[in-house]
Amino acid sequence: MSDWFPGIPAITYEGPDSQDPLSFKWYDADAEVEGRPMRAHLRFAACYWHTMRNVLSDPFGAGTAHMPWDDGTDSIENAVRRAQVFFEFLEKIGIDYYCFHDRDVAPEGETVETTNEHLAKMTEVLGTLQGASNKRLLWGTACLFAHPRYVHGAATSPSVDVFAHAGAQIRRAIDATHALGGEGYVFWGGREGYDTLLNTDMSRELDHLATLLRMAVDYKHRIGFEGAFYIEPKPKEPATHQYDFDAATCLNFLREHDLLDEFSLNIETNHATLAGHSVAHELEVAAAAGALGSIDANMGHAQLGWDTDHFPTDLYLTTSIMRRVLQMGGFATGGLNFDAKRRRGSFEPVDLFHAHIAGMDAFARGLRIAAAIRADGRLDDMLHARYASWESELGERIEQGSVTLEELEAHAAAAGEPDLASGQEELLRSIINQYVTSPQT
Ligand code: XUL
Ligand code: CO
């Protein structure tokens, strides 16, 4: 086996006091939390696009990433070598799952036919690499935003020929995901949105988007792909307005087009914050609809207003995510996909390891803290106590929908001014702090 990361050992758990940067301080894959191994709760995935294909360029300068395995060409030979390096990385970092776009793993050819051949060849290569390891595909997706033909969108392009290309691409990306035993398939809007309403027929574009999704559902059932379909909300960037703005917008769209039974959501932290929400809000909205499928794990930066895709290192963030995941009983097909990139200055191969270790440890710690908060029970008790008045006879009848406005008036008149209790936000935050800062968790 090749060794593209010389001097980097397989990363192991050494505990919180270790000074070794190439070790886990909190992520102990087989250690149990709430009766299940950490790896089963967290279901970490590494993404191919940032890990293997992001050269770390920005609008002001060229890529900085050192990738000695990559000759910079679009040859199949180079694509195969990258895939081998990626699996070497997965093995050493100890991540069980991965995610990819079709174009990350296989170069686009001159024609649809050659492009399909490239993808089929790379699907074979990935299948062999999966077979030789215990790595699995969390989800696949189609890149419907990088090629210039998608400048005005894919499913929502004003050109029917572009729509056809999008369909062709989705078909083969689902095939590849299916062949690799993928547990899910993601639809991220890419360039499905608009830059100006002056040239946009919005309702027609949204109908086209629903039509393409319906075709994908139909195809999935015909070929027997049983993985989950996810929509990944994002409010802006690259388009000025993205149609999949946030969880509520996506759920409304799916309901309106009778697609809610076929999709759940893939929630990304930095997309939530771009929409003016916390990720906890987005997870709550998705979970309330029974549609919290998977998570793209990253974070934004408080001083920057765009999709910076930082590796998630904030313990309050990871705690809030893992509380929600535990509350819903864990992931079914989903997981925590590090849709995150190193900073441009972190250009050495070893930085890939430092970045993932930082994210994995932050989530492992968040998981432990979340479990400790749940075991403590005070937060849950206080939440239930806050709604205790609804356990009354009147409360129950209102919730069943069998009370009239006249009855409410009679009750209000008889009961007089209600007793109100404090919301106790600061107390709640200090309970969380007790666990975030405790060396016991
Ligand atoms: C873009 C983004 C994508 C999707 C997959 O912001 O998050 O990488 O996760 O297409
Ligand atoms: Co994402």
Side-chain angles (χ1 to χ4, degrees):
M1 187 173 163
S2 58
D3 186 10
W4 289 100
F5 303 105
I8 299 179
I11 311 300
T12 55
Y13 172 74
E14 288 184 13
D17 297 328
S18 170
Q19 301 288 313
D20 180 356
L22 293 173
S23 74
F24 293 120
K25 318 299 176 293
W26 299 101
Y27 181 58
D28 188 0
D30 296 316
E32 297 210 340
V33 175
E34 293 196 5
R36 289 169 74 203
M38 280 188 161
R39 59 150 43 96
H41 282 288
L42 297 163
R43 291 168 60 91
F44 288 130
C47 79
Y48 207 94
W49 54 100
H50 285 313
T51 309
M52 299 316 296
R53 305 309 310 273
N54 195 329
V55 296
L56 306 181
S57 60
D58 72 10
F60 304 93
T64 57
H66 296 182
M67 298 191 289
W69 50 81
D70 195 316
D71 65 16
T73 68
D74 264 345
S75 72
I76 293 290
E77 196 192 359
N78 197 28
V80 171
R81 194 167 47 245
R82 271 191 217 113
Q84 291 165 342
V85 176
F86 185 60
F87 273 72
E88 205 182 305
F89 173 74
L90 293 178
E91 203 59 54
K92 284 196 167 174
I93 193 73
I95 287 184
D96 298 330
Y97 291 91
Y98 72 105
C99 300
F100 69 86
H101 298 87
D102 48 1
R103 300 297 180 258
D104 303 333
V105 294
E108 180 135 4
E110 291 290 315
T111 62
V112 169
E113 213 171 27
T114 23
T115 302
N116 289 347
E117 279 165 20
H118 292 173
L119 184 58
K121 161 79 188 155
M122 287 310 299
T123 303
E124 224 178 277
V125 169
L126 291 168
T128 307
L129 288 164
Q130 280 183 209
S133 62
N134 56 0
K135 307 304 171 194
R136 307 215 306 265
L137 180 61
L138 191 69
W139 50 259
T141 185
C143 174
L144 300 174
F145 45 91
H147 193 284
R149 80 169 71 89
Y150 297 122
V151 59
H152 300 308
T156 63
S157 170
S159 156
V160 70
D161 292 339
V162 172
F163 185 96
H165 269 274
Q169 216 180 308
I170 288 172
R171 175 193 177 185
R172 298 298 176 170
I174 294 174
D175 282 349
T177 304
H178 184 36
L180 293 167
E183 299 193 18
Y185 182 91
V186 161
F187 294 83
W188 168 55
R191 293 184 192 273
E192 314 295 20
Y194 62 80
D195 286 323
T196 172
L197 283 174
L198 294 172
N199 63 15
T200 303
D201 184 339
M202 187 161 83
S203 76
R204 195 168 192 182
E205 291 195 1
L206 284 166
D207 282 347
H208 292 169
L209 180 56
T211 301
L212 194 61
L213 293 179
R214 207 167 293 114
M215 289 179 190
V217 168
D218 168 63
Y219 185 69
K220 164 190 176 169
H221 292 312
R222 276 193 286 119
I223 66 168
F225 174 56
E226 288 182 357
F229 267 6
Y230 309 116
I231 304 263
E232 182 177 323
K234 183 173 184 179
K236 52 188 159 187
E237 203 198 306
T240 306
H241 175 91
Q242 300 272 132
Y243 289 135
D244 297 330
F245 193 91
D246 62 1
T249 309
C250 290
L251 290 169
N252 181 57
F253 171 83
L254 291 169
R255 267 193 208 101
E256 183 182 344
H257 295 278
D258 202 18
L259 288 164
L260 195 51
D261 287 348
E262 299 284 353
F263 288 84
S264 56
L265 302 183
N266 180 39
I267 301 292
E268 179 165 326
T269 306
N270 206 169
H271 296 179
T273 48
L274 282 181
H277 305 308
S278 63
V279 71
H281 168 92
E282 289 292 82
L283 297 176
E284 203 58 40
V285 170
L292 174 45
S294 198
I295 292 175
D296 268 10
N298 63 17
M299 64 182 195
H301 192 289
Q303 278 93 57
L304 301 172
W306 61 93
D307 196 17
T308 64
D309 286 349
H310 280 65
F311 270 83
T313 52
D314 182 321
L315 296 183
Y316 291 96
L317 173 75
T318 58
T319 298
S320 71
I321 292 173
M322 291 318 296
R323 273 190 76 214
R324 198 63 193 80
V325 171
L326 289 176
Q327 196 186 329
M328 74 162 183
F331 291 114
T333 51
L336 293 169
N337 168 46
F338 287 113
D339 191 353
K341 65 182 183 216
R342 298 169 284 161
R343 296 307 89 194
R344 189 164 179 266
S346 307
F347 45 71
E348 292 180 16
V350 71
D351 290 307
L352 283 172
F353 287 85
H354 293 157
H356 283 84
I357 290 170
M360 292 163 80
D361 269 338
F363 266 99
R365 185 86 205 276
L367 168 63
R368 282 196 184 284
I369 296 166
I373 291 171
R374 279 157 59 81
D376 171 303
R378 273 178 293 166
L379 286 192
D380 287 339
D381 291 349
M382 287 164 75
L383 184 74
H384 289 132
R386 193 154 184 252
Y387 294 87
S389 68
W390 287 89
E391 311 305 325
S392 63
E393 193 255 303
L394 177 69
E396 277 175 19
R397 284 200 301 117
I398 293 174
E399 289 190 342
Q400 286 156 9
S402 60
V403 173
T404 61
L405 288 182
E406 291 89 323
E407 280 178 79
L408 289 184
E409 184 182 11
H411 179 87
E417 214 33 58
D419 281 338
L420 294 180
S422 164
Q424 300 180 310
E425 179 173 338
E426 297 77 7
L427 171 57
L428 295 165
R429 288 188 187 279
S430 80
I431 294 173
I432 290 182
N433 271 355
Q434 245 185 308
Y435 288 98
V436 171
T437 57
S438 164
Q440 312 312 326
T441 38

